[in-house]
Coordinates of all heavy atoms in Angstrom, one line a residue:
G36 N -26.9 -19.7 14.3 CA -25.9 -18.6 14.3 C -26.7 -17.3 14.0 O -27.8 -17.4 13.6
A37 N -26.0 -16.2 14.3 CA -26.8 -14.9 14.2 C -25.9 -13.8 13.6 O -24.6 -13.8 13.8 CB -27.4 -14.5 15.5
L38 N -26.5 -12.8 13.0 CA -25.8 -11.6 12.6 C -26.4 -10.5 13.5 O -27.6 -10.2 13.5 CB -26.1 -11.3 11.1 CG -25.7 -9.9 10.7 CD1 -24.2 -9.7 10.8 CD2 -26.2 -9.6 9.3
R39 N -25.5 -9.8 14.2 CA -25.9 -8.7 15.0 C -25.3 -7.4 14.4 O -24.1 -7.4 14.2 CB -25.5 -8.8 16.5 CG -26.0 -7.7 17.4 CD -25.6 -8.0 18.8 NE -26.3 -7.2 19.7 CZ -26.1 -7.1 21.0 NH1 -25.2 -7.9 21.6 NH2 -26.9 -6.4 21.8
R40 N -26.1 -6.4 14.1 CA -25.6 -5.2 13.5 C -25.2 -4.2 14.5 O -25.9 -4.0 15.5 CB -26.7 -4.6 12.6 CG -27.0 -5.6 11.4 CD -28.5 -5.4 11.1 NE -28.9 -6.5 10.2 CZ -29.5 -7.6 10.6 NH1 -29.7 -7.8 11.8 NH2 -29.9 -8.5 9.7
H41 N -24.0 -3.6 14.2 CA -23.5 -2.5 15.1 C -23.3 -1.2 14.2 O -23.4 -1.3 13.0 CB -22.1 -2.9 15.7 CG -22.2 -4.0 16.6 ND1 -22.4 -3.8 18.0 CD2 -22.1 -5.3 16.4 CE1 -22.5 -5.0 18.6 NE2 -22.3 -5.9 17.7
G42 N -23.1 -0.1 14.8 CA -22.8 1.1 14.0 C -21.6 1.0 13.2 O -20.7 0.1 13.4
G43 N -21.4 1.9 12.2 CA -20.2 2.0 11.4 C -20.1 0.9 10.4 O -19.0 0.6 9.9
G44 N -21.2 0.3 10.0 CA -21.1 -0.8 9.0 C -20.5 -2.1 9.5 O -20.0 -2.9 8.7
I45 N -20.6 -2.3 10.8 CA -20.0 -3.5 11.4 C -21.1 -4.5 11.7 O -22.0 -4.2 12.4 CB -19.1 -3.2 12.6 CG1 -18.0 -2.2 12.3 CG2 -18.5 -4.5 13.2 CD1 -17.0 -2.7 11.3
G46 N -20.9 -5.8 11.3 CA -21.8 -6.8 11.7 C -21.0 -7.8 12.6 O -19.8 -7.9 12.5
E47 N -21.6 -8.4 13.6 CA -21.0 -9.3 14.5 C -21.6 -10.7 14.3 O -22.8 -10.8 14.3 CB -21.1 -8.8 15.9 CG -20.4 -9.7 16.9 CD -20.6 -9.3 18.4 OE1 -21.4 -8.3 18.6 OE2 -19.9 -9.8 19.2
V48 N -20.8 -11.7 14.2 CA -21.2 -13.1 14.2 C -21.4 -13.5 15.6 O -20.5 -13.4 16.4 CB -20.2 -14.0 13.5 CG1 -20.7 -15.5 13.5 CG2 -19.9 -13.5 12.1
K49 N -22.6 -14.0 15.9 CA -23.0 -14.4 17.3 C -23.6 -15.8 17.4 O -24.2 -16.2 16.4 CB -23.9 -13.4 17.9 CG -23.4 -12.0 18.2 CD -22.4 -11.9 19.3 CE -22.9 -12.2 20.6 NZ -21.9 -12.1 21.7
R50 N -23.6 -16.4 18.5 CA -24.3 -17.6 18.9 C -24.2 -18.8 17.9 O -25.2 -19.5 17.6 CB -25.8 -17.3 19.1 CG -26.1 -16.2 20.0 CD -25.6 -16.1 21.5 NE -24.9 -17.2 22.1 CZ -25.2 -17.7 23.3 NH1 -26.2 -17.3 23.9 NH2 -24.4 -18.6 23.8
M51 N -23.0 -19.0 17.3 CA -22.8 -20.1 16.4 C -22.7 -21.4 17.2 O -21.9 -21.5 18.2 CB -21.4 -19.8 15.7 CG -21.5 -18.7 14.7 SD -22.4 -19.0 13.2 CE -21.4 -20.3 12.4
Y52 N -23.5 -22.4 16.8 CA -23.5 -23.6 17.5 C -24.1 -24.7 16.6 O -25.0 -24.5 15.9 CB -24.3 -23.5 18.8 CG -24.4 -24.8 19.5 CD1 -23.3 -25.4 20.1 CD2 -25.7 -25.5 19.7 CE1 -23.4 -26.6 20.8 CE2 -25.8 -26.7 20.4 CZ -24.6 -27.2 20.9 OH -24.7 -28.4 21.6
T53 N -23.4 -25.9 16.6 CA -23.9 -27.1 15.9 C -24.0 -28.2 17.0 O -23.1 -28.5 17.7 CB -23.0 -27.5 14.8 OG1 -22.9 -26.4 13.9 CG2 -23.6 -28.7 14.0
R54 N -25.2 -28.8 17.0 CA -25.4 -30.0 17.9 C -24.4 -31.1 17.5 O -24.1 -31.3 16.3 CB -26.8 -30.5 17.8 CG -27.8 -29.6 18.6 CD -29.1 -30.2 18.7 NE -29.8 -29.5 19.8 CZ -31.1 -29.2 19.8 NH1 -31.9 -29.6 18.8 NH2 -31.7 -28.7 20.9
E55 N -24.0 -31.9 18.5 CA -23.0 -32.9 18.3 C -23.3 -33.8 17.2 O -22.5 -34.2 16.3 CB -22.7 -33.6 19.6 CG -21.6 -34.6 19.5 CD -21.2 -35.1 20.9 OE1 -21.5 -34.6 21.9 OE2 -20.5 -36.2 20.8
A56 N -24.6 -34.3 17.1 CA -25.0 -35.2 16.1 C -24.9 -34.7 14.6 O -24.8 -35.5 13.7 CB -26.5 -35.7 16.3
A57 N -24.8 -33.4 14.5 CA -24.7 -32.8 13.2 C -23.4 -32.2 12.8 O -23.2 -31.7 11.7 CB -25.8 -31.7 13.0
R58 N -22.4 -32.4 13.7 CA -21.1 -31.9 13.5 C -20.4 -32.6 12.3 O -20.6 -33.8 12.1 CB -20.2 -31.9 14.7 CG -20.8 -30.9 15.7 CD -19.9 -30.8 17.0 NE -20.7 -30.0 17.9 CZ -20.6 -30.1 19.2 NH1 -19.8 -30.9 19.8 NH2 -21.3 -29.2 20.0
G59 N -19.6 -31.9 11.5 CA -19.0 -32.5 10.4 C -19.8 -32.5 9.1 O -19.3 -32.9 8.1
L60 N -21.0 -32.0 9.2 CA -21.9 -31.9 8.0 C -21.9 -30.6 7.3 O -22.5 -30.5 6.2 CB -23.3 -32.2 8.4 CG -23.6 -33.6 9.1 CD1 -25.0 -33.7 9.6 CD2 -23.2 -34.7 8.2
G61 N -21.1 -29.6 7.8 CA -21.1 -28.3 7.1 C -22.1 -27.3 7.6 O -22.3 -26.3 7.0
V62 N -22.8 -27.6 8.7 CA -23.8 -26.8 9.3 C -23.2 -25.4 9.6 O -23.7 -24.4 9.2 CB -24.5 -27.4 10.5 CG1 -25.4 -26.4 11.2 CG2 -25.3 -28.6 10.1
G63 N -22.1 -25.4 10.4 CA -21.5 -24.1 10.8 C -21.1 -23.3 9.6 O -21.3 -22.1 9.6
G64 N -20.4 -23.9 8.6 CA -20.0 -23.2 7.5 C -21.1 -22.6 6.7 O -21.1 -21.5 6.1
E65 N -22.2 -23.4 6.5 CA -23.4 -22.9 5.8 C -24.0 -21.7 6.5 O -24.4 -20.7 5.9 CB -24.4 -24.0 5.6 CG -25.7 -23.6 4.9 CD -25.4 -23.2 3.4 OE1 -24.4 -23.6 2.8 OE2 -26.2 -22.4 2.9
I66 N -24.2 -21.8 7.8 CA -24.8 -20.7 8.6 C -23.9 -19.5 8.5 O -24.4 -18.4 8.3 CB -25.0 -21.1 10.0 CG1 -26.2 -22.1 10.1 CG2 -25.4 -19.9 10.9 CD1 -26.5 -22.7 11.4
L67 N -22.6 -19.6 8.6 CA -21.6 -18.5 8.5 C -21.8 -17.9 7.1 O -21.8 -16.6 7.0 CB -20.2 -19.0 8.8 CG -19.1 -17.9 8.8 CD1 -19.4 -16.9 9.9 CD2 -17.8 -18.5 9.0
G68 N -21.9 -18.7 6.1 CA -22.1 -18.2 4.8 C -23.4 -17.4 4.6 O -23.4 -16.3 3.9
R69 N -24.4 -17.8 5.3 CA -25.7 -17.0 5.3 C -25.6 -15.7 6.0 O -26.1 -14.7 5.5 CB -26.8 -17.9 5.9 CG -27.1 -19.2 5.1 CD -27.8 -18.9 3.8 NE -28.1 -20.1 3.1 CZ -29.3 -20.8 3.2 NH1 -30.3 -20.2 3.8 NH2 -29.4 -21.9 2.5
V70 N -24.9 -15.7 7.1 CA -24.6 -14.5 7.9 C -23.9 -13.5 7.0 O -24.2 -12.3 6.9 CB -23.8 -14.8 9.2 CG1 -23.3 -13.5 9.8 CG2 -24.7 -15.5 10.2
E71 N -22.8 -14.0 6.3 CA -22.0 -13.1 5.5 C -22.8 -12.6 4.3 O -22.8 -11.4 3.9 CB -20.8 -13.8 5.0 CG -19.9 -13.0 4.1 CD -18.7 -13.6 3.6 OE1 -18.2 -14.6 4.2 OE2 -18.1 -13.2 2.5
A72 N -23.6 -13.5 3.7 CA -24.4 -13.0 2.5 C -25.4 -11.9 2.9 O -25.6 -10.9 2.2 CB -25.2 -14.2 1.9
L73 N -26.0 -12.1 4.1 CA -27.0 -11.0 4.5 C -26.2 -9.7 4.8 O -26.7 -8.6 4.5 CB -27.7 -11.5 5.8 CG -28.7 -10.5 6.4 CD1 -29.8 -10.1 5.3 CD2 -29.4 -11.1 7.6
A74 N -25.0 -9.9 5.5 CA -24.2 -8.7 5.8 C -23.9 -7.9 4.5 O -23.9 -6.7 4.4 CB -23.0 -9.1 6.6
R75 N -23.5 -8.7 3.5 CA -23.1 -8.1 2.2 C -24.3 -7.4 1.6 O -24.3 -6.3 1.0 CB -22.5 -9.1 1.3 CG -21.1 -9.5 1.6 CD -20.6 -10.5 0.6 NE -19.2 -11.0 1.0 CZ -18.1 -10.3 0.7 NH1 -18.2 -9.1 0.1 NH2 -16.9 -10.8 1.1

């Protein structure tokens, strides 16, 4: 997953993906949390 920065203090969550074998393990939620923590 990625954080893309835009003007005006806006960040965009991009390219979120979890491979099928790892789904249900919390990978997406953890990456989203890291994106948010960096944005903050």
Side-chain angles (χ1 to χ4, degrees):
L38 170 63
R39 186 176 196 182
R40 295 148 190 94
H41 295 271
I45 303 297
E47 182 181 10
V48 178
K49 293 291 290 182
R50 308 305 355 229
M51 292 287 293
Y52 179 65
T53 302
R54 285 188 160 143
E55 190 171 338
R58 292 185 187 151
L60 301 175
V62 170
E65 180 65 24
I66 290 173
L67 186 61
R69 298 289 181 97
V70 167
E71 181 177 337
L73 180 58
R75 286 182 183 280

